[in-house]
Every structure is written in structure tokens, then in C-alpha cells.
Amino acid sequence: MHLSDRTHPGHLDEAILSALTGHSADLVVTAGYMKKLGTRVRSAYASRIINIHPALLPRHGGKGMYGRAVHESVLASGDKISGPTVHILTDDYDTGPIIAQHQVPVLPGDTPDSLAVRVLGAEHQLLPTVVQQIAAQRESLTPPEQR
């Protein structure tokens, strides 16, 4: 299923919410989705939407801080570590509670591209681990007769 402003002009928020509720989604993993989710989805799934950001938050987050700009910011700051952050999605970019982070060293001679490659590798390890932990926690809270 593909949902976008192109397929649902002016109604994307409603279409995403309908798809999520229609599939009985319990957790939404935006995994770096580059658009802000609509207010209906954010409200319906408050505290159940997680995202991953390619830098340690809160230092290198906020509007416009994505892709190469994040890694340029880390390098320009002189930080010695970077790495992905998994956080709860809220109404403001990259401000939700942090669930997990993984530190990636900034190496001498790093470029935004070389740093991005290492951080992306860490993202691919961190996000599935966090999702598995959330699923396991929810499973342990579900009565056996409902499993």
C-alpha cells in the first residue's frame, strides 16, 4: 500500500490513520519518515510512534536536521561521538523522550559521508533491537488468554 500526498491530496492524515487502525496497529515505527505525521495520527497514536534520528539527541535535532545536515552539524561542532537516537515522536521535531541511543565515534578525517555510513550501520542494529524490546514488553503485559 502506498500513501502519499499524491495518492490522497489533502487527506493523507486521514488515510494513514485509517490504514493503521484498519490493520490494528499498536506501534508506529516511522524509521526516518521525512514528513511530519498529521495531527490525527499523532493524537491517535500518542506515545506509540517511534522514530530514529541519525545523531545523538537533543544536540543535533530539530527542523531541518536530517540527512547530510545532521552529520555536517556533528562534525562542525567538534563532537567526538555521534550515533542514532530512537525516540518517541511528538508534535515538535526530535523532542520526544529518548528510548535508546548508540554511540558511534567521530574519527579523525571523517566526512559527513563517512560518518553517515557508520551511523546508518548502528541505526540498522539499534532500531530492530528497540522494536523487539517494546514487543517483548507488551507481550509480557498481555494476559495469556489474549495471546
Side-chain angles (χ1 to χ4, degrees):
M1 173 186 310
H2 170 80
L3 302 174
S4 69
D5 285 325
R6 186 177 298 165
T7 62
H8 295 81
H11 304 286
L12 182 58
D13 191 25
E14 295 88 353
I16 292 173
L17 181 57
S18 177
L20 292 170
T21 56
H23 287 89
S24 302
D26 187 48
L27 177 69
V28 178
V29 181
T30 58
Y33 181 65
M34 298 301 290
K35 296 187 76 154
K36 193 171 205 176
L37 288 174
T39 56
R40 289 187 176 133
V41 172
R42 291 194 322 265
S43 176
Y45 285 88
S47 299
R48 295 184 296 148
I49 305 172
I50 65 172
N51 191 29
I52 191 159
H53 183 76
L56 298 176
L57 292 177
R59 187 163 164 88
H60 299 283
K63 189 171 176 123
M65 292 301 287
Y66 60 89
R68 186 178 180 89
V70 171
H71 305 296
E72 289 172 344
S73 175
V74 169
L75 293 172
S77 74
D79 286 358
K80 301 295 182 203
I81 57 168
S82 186
T85 301
V86 176
H87 63 96
I88 301 289
L89 189 135
T90 58
D91 290 346
D92 296 317
Y93 292 104
D94 304 326
T95 60
I98 293 170
I99 298 171
Q101 294 180 315
H102 180 86
Q103 294 185 355
V104 173
V106 176
L107 303 176
D110 256 339
T111 66
D113 293 334
S114 64
L115 182 57
V117 167
R118 289 198 318 285
V119 170
L120 183 61
E123 286 183 50
H124 289 170
Q125 293 176 354
L126 182 63
L127 185 58
T129 299
V130 169
V131 171
Q132 289 170 349
Q133 289 170 345
I134 291 170
Q137 181 182 22
R138 291 189 177 176
E139 177 74 17
S140 71
L141 298 175
T142 303
E145 64 275 6
Q146 293 180 7
R147 291 186 204 156

